[in-house]
C-alpha cells in the first residue's frame, strides 16, 4: 500500500466494514486498543440502560427469573463457546481471568505434578499460580519461553500479550498428552479475534477475557472452558453456591452443578454480564476467518509505515495475533503524545508501544491515518513535553 487512496479502496471492498456501525466510537478518535479494552457496541449500551432502568429499578429481585438474569452466565458462555470451538454447555461466564485460573488450576492440581508457566507470561497468570503453589505446596516452575513442560499443570496464552506470537495449540496439546501435562489456555487475546478450535486441537481447559475482543466492557466477567467429560470429574476450590447444582435448596452439602457450570462461584455481576451478553450478539454474523485476515492486513500496513519511521515490531514474520509492539526508549511519552492526537494505543513496560488492530471496527484508512500521526509525533518530538512524561497508574 503506498497511499491513502490505496487503503480506501480496501475499505470499499471490505466485507467486515458493516460491523463498524454497531460500535459507538468517539468522533475523531482512532482506537488502536480494542485488544485491551474493547469499545462499546450500541446494543450493549442500550442493554445496560434497559437492565438498570427496567429490570433492576422496576423488576427488582423478580428479574432474576423474569429477565432471565440467573441464566446469563450459561447463555453468554454458550455464545462464547461458538467462538472457541466448544460445545455450548462447556463454557461458563464468571469472575475474572485471575480468579478462573485459580479455580481451574486448583481443580487440576488434584492429579499431581508441578504448576508451570513461562517466565514472560502475563503477570497475573504467574502470580496466581505462584500463589496457588504457596497455598497447596505444589511445586511451582517458571519455564523459559518455549521450554516444554514435563507434566503437571501448564498455563499458556494462545496469543502473547506483548509479542502477539500465536502458540501452536494442536502441536502443544499433542506433546502435552505424551508428557501427561494439562494445559490451561489463556485465550484472552484470541477469543473474538480469530476462530479458535479447542475441540479440534484437543484442548481441554481454557480461560479468557470478556473485555478485550469480546467487547464486554471494563471489568466484564471472563469465561472458563472445560471439556465436557473433564468437567464432570473436576471439583473446583471456590465451591460457591452459584456453582452448585441447586443453589436455592439451601442445603448444607455442596453438590456441584453438571459440567462447566460448576466453575461459577458467587453471584454474577449482572450489569456487566448483560453488556457482555449483548456485545456477543455481534459475532452472530461475523466470519472470524475474515476478521483474522483483516487484522493481519491492518497490522501489516501499520508495520510497513512504522518501518519508514525506524520502528521494527518485536515479533518477526509468522503467525501473529491482533496487536503489534514496537520498542522505543521513550515509548510511554510517545504514546501519550499520540493519544493527545487522537490515536489511542497503550504502553507495556519497560519500553513497548502496543497497537491493537481490531478488525470489526477499524478501517484501513484509520490505520493509515494513525501512522501519519505517529510520524508527526516523532518528527516534531512533541513527546518531550512534560505532560506526556507523567505516568498514570494505568499505562
Ligand atoms: C493474557 C491475559 N491474561 C489475563 C489478563 C487479566 O485478566 P483479569 O483482569 O480478568 O484477571 C490479561 C489482561 O490484560 C491478559 O492480557
Amino acid at each position: 500500500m503506498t497511499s491513502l487512496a490505496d487503503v480506501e479502496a480496501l475499505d470499499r471492498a471490505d466485507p467486515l466494514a458493516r460491523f463498524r456501525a454497531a460500535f459507538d466510537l468517539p468522533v475523531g478518535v482512532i482506537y488502536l486498543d480494542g485488544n485491551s479494552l474493547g469499545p462499546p457496541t450500541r446494543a450493549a449500551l442500550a442493554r445496560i440502560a434497559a437492565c438498570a432502568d427496567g429490570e433492576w429499578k422496576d423488576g427488582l429481585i423478580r428479574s432474576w427469573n423474569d429477565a432471565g438474569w440467573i441464566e446469563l452466565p450459561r447463555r453468554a458462555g454458550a455464545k462464547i463457546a461458538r467462538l472457541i470451538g466448544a460445545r455450548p454447555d462447556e463454557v461458563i461466564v464468571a469472575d475474572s481471568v485471575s480468579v478462573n485460573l485459580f479455580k481451574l488450576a486448583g481443580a487440576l492440581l488434584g492429579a499431581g505434578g508441578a504448576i508451570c508457566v513461562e517466565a514472560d507470561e502475563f503477570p497475573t497468570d504467574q502470580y496466581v499460580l505462584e500463589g496457588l503453589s504457596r497455598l497447596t505446596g505444589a511445586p511451582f516452575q517458571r519455564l523459559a519461553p518455549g521450554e516444554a513442560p514435563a507434566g503437571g499443570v501448564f498455563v499458556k496464552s494462545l496469543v502473547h500479550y506483548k509479542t502477539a506470537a500465536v502458540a501452536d495449540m494442536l502441536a502443544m496439546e499433542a506433546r502435552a498428552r505424551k508428557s501427561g501435562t494439562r494445559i490451561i489456555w489463556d485465550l484472552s487475546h484470541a477469543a473474538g479475534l480469530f476462530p479458535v478450535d479447542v475441540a479440534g486441537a484437543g484442548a481441554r481447559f481454557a480461560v479468557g477475557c470478556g473485555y478485550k475482543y469480546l467487547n464486554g466492557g471494563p471489568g466484564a466477567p471472563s469465561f472458563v472452558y472445560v471439556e465436557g467429560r473433564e468437567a464432570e470429574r473436576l471439583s473446583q476450590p471456590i465451591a460457591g453456591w452459584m456453582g452448585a447444582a441447586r443453589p436455592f435448596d439451601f442445603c448444607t452439602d455442596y453438590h456441584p452443578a453438571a459440567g462447566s457450570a460448576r466453575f461459577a462461584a458467587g453471584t454474577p455481576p449482572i450489569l456487566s454480564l448483560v453488556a457482555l451478553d449483548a456485545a456477543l450478539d455481534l459475532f452472530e454474523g461475523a466470519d472470524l476467518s475474515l476478521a483474522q485476515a483483516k487484522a493481519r492486513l491492518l497490522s501489516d500496513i501499520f508495520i510497513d509505515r512504522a518501518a519508514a519511521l525506524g520502528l521494527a515490531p518485536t515479533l518477526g514474520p509468522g503467525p501473529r495475533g491482533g496487536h503489534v509492539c514496537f520498542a522505543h526508549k521513550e515509548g510511554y511519552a510517545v504514546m501519550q503524545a499520540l493519544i493527545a492526537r487522537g490515536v489511542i494505543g497503550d504502553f507495556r513496560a519497560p519500553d513497548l508501544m502496543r497497537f491493537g488492530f481490531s478488525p470489526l471496527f477499524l478501517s484501513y484508512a484509520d490505520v493509515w491515518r494513525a501512522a501519519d500521526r505517529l510520524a508527526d509525533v516523532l518528527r516534531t518530538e512533541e513527546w518531550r513535553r512534560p505532560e506526556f512524561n507523567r505516568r498514570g497508574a494505568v499505562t
Side-chain angles (χ1 to χ4, degrees):
M1 298 303 133
T2 55
S3 69
L4 181 60
D6 286 347
V7 293
E8 283 173 343
L10 288 178
D11 282 327
R12 282 194 294 279
D14 176 9
L16 298 176
R18 67 191 172 87
F19 284 95
R20 187 186 180 94
F23 290 88
D24 201 343
L25 291 158
V27 177
V29 165
I30 300 176
Y31 192 55
L32 303 186
D33 218 359
N35 57 305
S36 198
L37 173 64
T41 61
R42 293 177 197 282
L45 294 175
R47 186 77 180 84
I48 296 169
C51 178
D53 206 33
E55 296 170 10
W56 181 20
K57 184 164 76 63
D58 297 332
L60 295 166
I61 202 164
R62 295 169 292 189
S63 290
W64 282 105
N65 290 318
D66 297 349
W69 289 352
I70 198 70
E71 299 301 330
L72 272 171
R74 291 169 196 247
R75 207 165 74 205
K79 292 178 186 176
I80 293 171
R82 277 188 50 243
L83 306 179
I84 64 166
R87 287 206 326 253
D89 61 344
E90 289 177 325
V91 178
I92 186 94
V93 170
D95 302 311
S96 59
V97 172
S98 307
V99 173
N100 285 330
L101 270 175
F102 179 88
K103 292 186 291 191
L104 195 43
L108 290 172
L109 274 184
I115 322 177
C116 324
V117 64
E118 286 168 324
D120 66 346
E121 189 52 270
F122 189 79
T124 208
D125 302 44
Q126 303 194 40
Y127 302 158
V128 167
L129 296 178
E130 202 167 10
L132 195 56
S133 149
R134 278 194 298 273
L135 186 71
T136 60
F140 174 70
Q141 280 175 7
R142 206 170 256 121
L143 305 176
E147 185 183 344
V153 178
F154 175 51
V155 174
K156 171 79 185 169
S157 281
L158 182 56
V159 175
H160 192 269
Y161 79 107
K162 279 184 176 169
T163 64
V166 183
D168 186 339
M169 191 183 248
L170 189 65
M172 288 185 71
E173 281 292 342
R175 273 201 304 276
R177 276 177 194 269
K178 287 196 188 123
S179 63
T181 307
R182 297 171 302 283
I183 306 180
I184 300 176
W185 292 94
D186 185 336
L187 303 179
S188 292
H189 286 275
L193 172 68
F194 57 70
V196 176
D197 185 7
V198 286
R204 292 166 292 166
F205 316 104
V207 294
C209 245
Y211 52 77
K212 297 181 188 300
Y213 293 105
L214 301 183
N215 308 306
S222 113
F223 65 89
V224 185
Y225 154 74
V226 182
E227 186 274 329
R229 281 174 312 243
E230 296 285 351
E232 292 303 327
R233 286 198 275 269
L234 292 174
S235 113
Q236 64 110 335
I238 309 184
W241 69 318
M242 286 293 155
R246 300 180 61 81
F248 286 86
D249 279 1
F250 295 104
C251 56
T252 311
D253 296 337
Y254 170 80
H255 299 286
S260 297
R262 69 188 56 188
F263 281 87
T267 305
I270 293 301
L271 287 169
S272 276
L273 200 39
V274 294
L276 174 63
D277 185 59
L280 287 169
D281 289 339
L282 185 74
F283 292 96
E284 274 292 313
D287 178 342
L288 288 188
S289 316
L290 291 178
Q292 180 173 23
K294 181 176 172 185
R296 180 72 197 207
L297 187 50
L298 289 166
S299 54
D300 282 345
I301 291 169
F302 194 78
I303 288 172
D304 268 2
R305 302 241 18 233
L309 305 172
L311 294 170
T314 52
L315 185 71
R320 190 171 65 228
H323 60 272
V324 176
C325 280
F326 301 94
H328 188 291
K329 68 181 183 354
E330 299 295 344
Y332 179 78
V334 172
M335 187 54 82
Q336 296 312 301
L338 194 56
I339 291 171
R341 281 180 176 258
V343 177
I344 302 180
D346 61 25
F347 173 77
R348 288 295 172 261
D351 61 355
L352 296 179
M353 298 188 287
R354 189 173 68 162
F355 299 92
F357 299 93
S358 297
L360 296 186
F361 60 84
L362 286 172
S363 68
Y364 294 96
D366 283 335
V367 168
W368 190 268
R369 292 196 180 96
D372 282 345
R373 293 190 208 170
L374 178 59
D376 290 342
V377 165
L378 293 173
R379 179 179 47 76
T380 58
E381 297 196 354
E382 64 201 36
W383 52 267
R384 291 186 187 278
R385 299 212 314 247
E387 67 267 34
F388 298 139
N389 286 271
R390 275 191 289 274
R391 291 262 172 128
V394 176
T395 63

